[in-house]
Amino acid sequence: LQMRLDLGPPQRGARPPAPAPSKRVLSLLSASTEIVCRLGCAHLLVGRSHGCDDPPLATALPVATAPRVDPNAPSLQLDEAVRAQAAAGGPIYQIRSELVRSLRPDVIITQEQCRICAVTPEDVDAACVALPSTALVTIMPVTLDDVLGDVVTIAAALGAPERGRRLVAHMRARLGAIAPLVPAG
């Protein structure tokens, strides 16, 4: 699920948001990288997954994961390779543990939705045993409300809960504005 948000110009008389505390964040999921950036916390990112490419500034970050199969293979070969890797019980992605340790993240964001789509908490735990004080934030959205809840969860982990509440309120307002335009059914 990808959402692009234009928060628009600041409201007249509104104060700019307080800066987020200095945390070191490793995002291992494209959607969470986008959420961190939409929260105005891109400056906290110290690394990303191989799939994080939006916003474009994320591509300048060190890449902490890589697929164990060739993502550029023809569809049938890719499907067969992923199925074989999954059947063997091994992770689909590798985590560059030495890089992760060198990044010294305070927060690592991953997902528990699908082990085929991105690294899982188990993958992170196995690769990052040398980082016992790192907070692992795991998201698992199923519904749109879950996605909005994940925005709040990520914002809280970054020390910016008010930013999360404001972003969710803005997203709900935008969804409310288009709801009348969507046919029922």
Side-chain angles (χ1 to χ4, degrees), residues 44-149:
L44 301 178
L45 289 167
V46 296
R48 65 179 178 98
S49 78
H50 63 282
C52 299
D53 61 2
D54 191 57
L57 66 88
T59 61
L61 296 167
V63 178
T65 63
R68 292 184 182 269
V69 298
D70 178 6
N72 298 313
S75 294
L76 180 59
Q77 287 177 332
L78 179 59
D79 181 62
E80 289 170 348
V82 167
R83 287 177 189 271
Q85 188 73 26
I92 304 299
Y93 302 96
Q94 71 178 31
I95 297 177
R96 297 180 172 132
S97 301
E98 284 187 34
L99 173 65
V100 171
R101 283 191 294 277
S102 74
L103 295 173
R104 301 180 332 275
D106 300 305
V107 177
I108 298 176
I109 307 171
T110 190
Q111 58 85 41
E112 199 166 9
Q113 191 74 32
C114 168
R115 66 184 295 259
I116 305 298
C117 305
V119 297
T120 65
E122 293 79 19
D123 298 338
V124 175
D125 285 343
C128 301
V129 292
L131 299 169
S133 63
T134 300
L136 183 60
V137 176
T138 303
I139 61 174
M140 193 176 117
V142 175
T143 66
L144 183 55
D145 279 337
D146 293 341
V147 172
L148 299 176

Side-chain angles (χ1 to χ4, degrees), residues 9-15:
Q11 297 296 326
R12 180 166 275 213
R15 285 182 280 198

Side-chain angles (χ1 to χ4, degrees), residues 25-36:
V25 179
L26 173 58
S27 175
L28 299 179
L29 184 64
S30 298
S32 61
T33 300
E34 292 182 37
I35 291 169
V36 170

